[in-house]
Amino acid sequence: SDFSPSFGNGEYSELYFISSREGGLTNKKDGRAGECFSDIWFSEMNKKGSWSRPVAMTEPINTEGNEGPVYLNKRGTAMYLTQCKVERKKNLGCGIYVSERKGRVWGEPQLLQVKIDGSSSIGHPTLNHDETVMIFSSDISGGYGGKDLWITVKQKRNVWSDPMNLGSLVNTPGDEMFPFLADDGTLYFASNGHVGMGGFDIYRTSEDENGAYIGPINLKSPINSFGDDFGMIVGKNGERGYLTSNRPGGK
């Protein structure tokens, strides 16, 4: 599986994505998925517009557990990533971490302090342009079932406010995942709970004048298909983007 791309800089010439292909940090198989544990991979565009052969990131970004999805700020100096820790074949759940880059070296990821109940996992971070607001996906209590989208506001370094649910117009008894905040404030996400074309579909929504998210719009064909469509990202002018799909015609 190759999924959930993320722009690596403001020029959109770097792309990070998640993959369970062999050649990552470990070729051990995740018993639940039947594939290798997912790692974060990196590619960059050359002057001719072609993407380089992807390379897996090294420790401490990738670990022996599952990584991803990720979000990078426009300067490419901070990476917010989902890491699912594993110790002695025991899954410790997933959390959101931040790593800062100095030069070409990424620092040890630091766990973001977001108040959740102990048995829940959080992941799939997306942030606004100044990194003060974060939306993520989680099954924490108080939602509408499955995984919901939640919003939190930065209070101080790595410490965030109590999460607020995005509400019943956005969230459903199904799963809402893979959010992406575009520069214009549009929120793209994937859901298998809204009436769609099949599997996960991609939707967009935005805030009203009171800061509440309005009813989502299904992006329909050709963005969505009868397969799973998710992990969409869009450039600053809204004219170009990338998405993940398992529709026929892929590898």
Side-chain angles (χ1 to χ4, degrees):
S1 296
D2 309 291
F3 61 98
S4 199
S6 176
F7 295 121
N9 57 21
E11 293 76 52
Y12 310 115
S13 62
E14 296 180 351
L15 203 65
Y16 292 80
F17 66 96
I18 314 307
S19 181
S20 58
R21 67 182 68 185
E22 293 187 350
L25 189 73
T26 174
N27 285 334
K28 293 178 181 177
K29 293 285 174 49
D30 182 349
R32 295 168 300 173
E35 300 180 357
C36 295
F37 285 96
S38 60
D39 279 332
I40 300 166
W41 292 68
F42 168 76
S43 176
E44 55 188 336
M45 185 184 288
N46 63 22
K47 293 179 181 178
K48 296 181 179 179
S50 299
W51 291 101
S52 66
R53 181 178 293 277
V55 295
M57 299 194 71
T58 56
E59 293 182 298
I61 299 301
N62 284 327
T63 69
E64 291 196 351
N66 286 309
E67 275 75 47
V70 304
Y71 171 88
L72 284 94
N73 64 3
K74 286 288 190 294
R75 299 188 306 280
T77 56
M79 176 190 292
Y80 297 80
L81 65 153
T82 310
Q83 283 190 335
C84 303
K85 301 291 189 181
V86 176
E87 285 183 8
R88 296 176 186 171
K89 297 185 178 180
K90 181 181 178 182
N91 293 308
L92 303 179
C94 303
I96 297 173
Y97 296 74
V98 61
S99 173
E100 296 183 357
R101 179 162 69 176
K102 292 184 172 63
R104 300 189 68 85
V105 178
W106 288 99
E108 184 73 34
Q110 303 296 314
L111 179 66
L112 294 190
Q113 301 300 318
V114 181
K115 188 176 181 181
I116 60 170
D117 37 64
S119 61
S120 298
S121 288
I122 67 174
H124 302 199
T126 184
L127 288 90
N128 64 346
H129 63 91
D130 62 2
E131 301 170 67
T132 58
V133 174
M134 179 172 65
I135 294 174
F136 62 90
S137 178
S138 180
D139 59 357
I140 54 180
S141 59
Y144 293 89
K147 291 182 170 60
D148 280 2
L149 297 183
W150 300 77
I151 189 168
T152 178
V153 178
K154 190 173 186 177
Q155 296 181 322
K156 56 185 179 180
R157 183 179 177 86
N158 291 354
V159 178
W160 296 75
S161 68
D162 290 354
M164 287 183 57
N165 191 285
L166 257 56
S168 60
L169 292 180
V170 171
N171 290 312
T172 70
D175 290 325
E176 281 70 46
M177 304 165 76
F178 302 99
F180 173 74
L181 270 173
D183 285 358
D184 65 0
T186 300
L187 175 65
Y188 296 86
F189 68 97
S191 173
N192 62 10
H194 292 276
V195 177
M197 296 179 63
F200 276 99
D201 273 6
I202 299 169
Y203 296 79
R204 65 177 170 86
T205 181
S206 57
E207 292 178 305
D208 63 16
E209 61 272 13
N210 298 316
Y213 279 91
I214 62 176
I217 296 171
N218 186 302
L219 296 189
K220 299 183 179 178
S221 179
I223 296 295
N224 289 317
S225 69
F226 294 112
D228 292 311
D229 307 287
F230 60 97
M232 183 164 174
I233 58 174
V234 179
K236 60 186 175 185
N237 59 6
E239 294 293 325
R240 184 179 176 88
Y242 300 86
L243 62 99
T244 309
S245 181
N246 62 6
R247 68 187 69 182
K251 296 287 188 181

